[in-house]
């Protein structure tokens, strides 16, 4: 299989995992509640995840990390895409996923998540520029191997968590 086909396959698997994470919360059974809209937080950083009255920064960091592959792989798949275009795709994708969370009654739609997902897309673009400058085109195979490994670990973890709950 050619390097491009592997890259496209890894990107599609990543998108599947992204949707499974955000809309299904890694659940194997649907918990969607159509017609029962969830809450929308329009004010950035006003409703962070709190445990014992303390902000949990992990959620914000996770939202950034979740979209790093998005920016990285979109740029790998089409290096001619501008930073603005890739960043726009990342923000639009995040917005659509947040809107689907609202419409399906799963989770809470939050503008802060869109900001962090956009930041993650930007980090992916910076990572791409760094790797391209340091390793030229040899890094794509390494990124694909790393991507497959992370996807397999993520999938195994999600399935394991479902069997324990």
């Amino acid at each position: 299989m050619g390097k491009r086909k592997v890259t496209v396959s890894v990107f599609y698997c990543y998108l599947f995992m992204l949707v499974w994470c955000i809309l299904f919360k890694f659940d194997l059974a649907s918990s969607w509640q159509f017609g029962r809209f969830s809450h929308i937080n329009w004010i950035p950083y006003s409703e962070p995840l709190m445990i014992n009255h303390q902000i949990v920064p992990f959620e914000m960091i996770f939202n950034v990390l979740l979209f790093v592959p998005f920016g990285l792989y979109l740029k790998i798949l089409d290096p001619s895409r501008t930073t603005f275009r890739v960043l726009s795709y990342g923000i639009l994708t995040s917005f659509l996923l947040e809107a689907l969370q609202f419409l399906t009654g799963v989770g809470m739609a939050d503008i802060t998540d869109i900001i962090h997902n956009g930041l993650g897309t930007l980090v992916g673009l910076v990572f791409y520029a760094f790797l391209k400058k340091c390793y030229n085109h040899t890094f794509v195979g390494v990124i694909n191997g790393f991507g497959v490994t992370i996807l397999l670990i993520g999938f195994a973890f999600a399935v394991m968590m479902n069997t324990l709950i």
Side-chain angles (χ1 to χ4, degrees), residues 27-144:
D27 197 356
L28 297 175
S30 174
S31 58
W32 288 8
Q33 302 170 11
F34 289 104
R36 184 173 171 216
F37 301 131
S38 68
H39 177 70
I40 298 177
N41 175 28
W42 292 107
I43 303 169
Y45 304 101
S46 68
E47 296 182 32
L49 179 63
M50 308 263 303
I51 297 178
N52 295 328
H53 304 290
Q54 293 188 351
I55 294 174
V56 180
F58 173 77
E59 180 196 21
M60 292 181 250
I61 294 167
F62 181 71
N63 277 316
V64 171
L65 293 176
L66 201 56
F67 269 72
V68 169
F70 194 89
L72 179 65
Y73 276 99
L74 273 185
K75 194 66 173 175
I76 288 172
L77 290 169
D78 186 359
S80 68
R81 282 190 180 119
T82 64
T83 297
F84 178 77
R85 179 162 287 201
V86 173
L87 188 56
S88 297
Y89 287 158
I91 292 169
L92 179 62
T93 300
S94 178
F95 176 80
L96 291 172
L97 290 169
E98 292 295 316
L100 284 170
Q101 280 189 75
F102 171 74
L103 293 172
T104 59
V106 129
M108 180 177 86
D110 193 341
I111 191 71
T112 306
D113 291 350
I114 296 171
I115 292 167
H116 288 135
N117 295 158
L119 182 60
T121 302
L122 188 59
V123 169
L125 285 166
V126 169
F127 195 48
Y128 170 85
F130 172 77
L131 291 172
K132 183 171 181 179
K133 184 174 183 157
C134 292
Y135 302 104
N136 203 3
H137 292 288
T138 60
F139 72 92
V140 175
V142 173
I143 292 297
N144 283 339

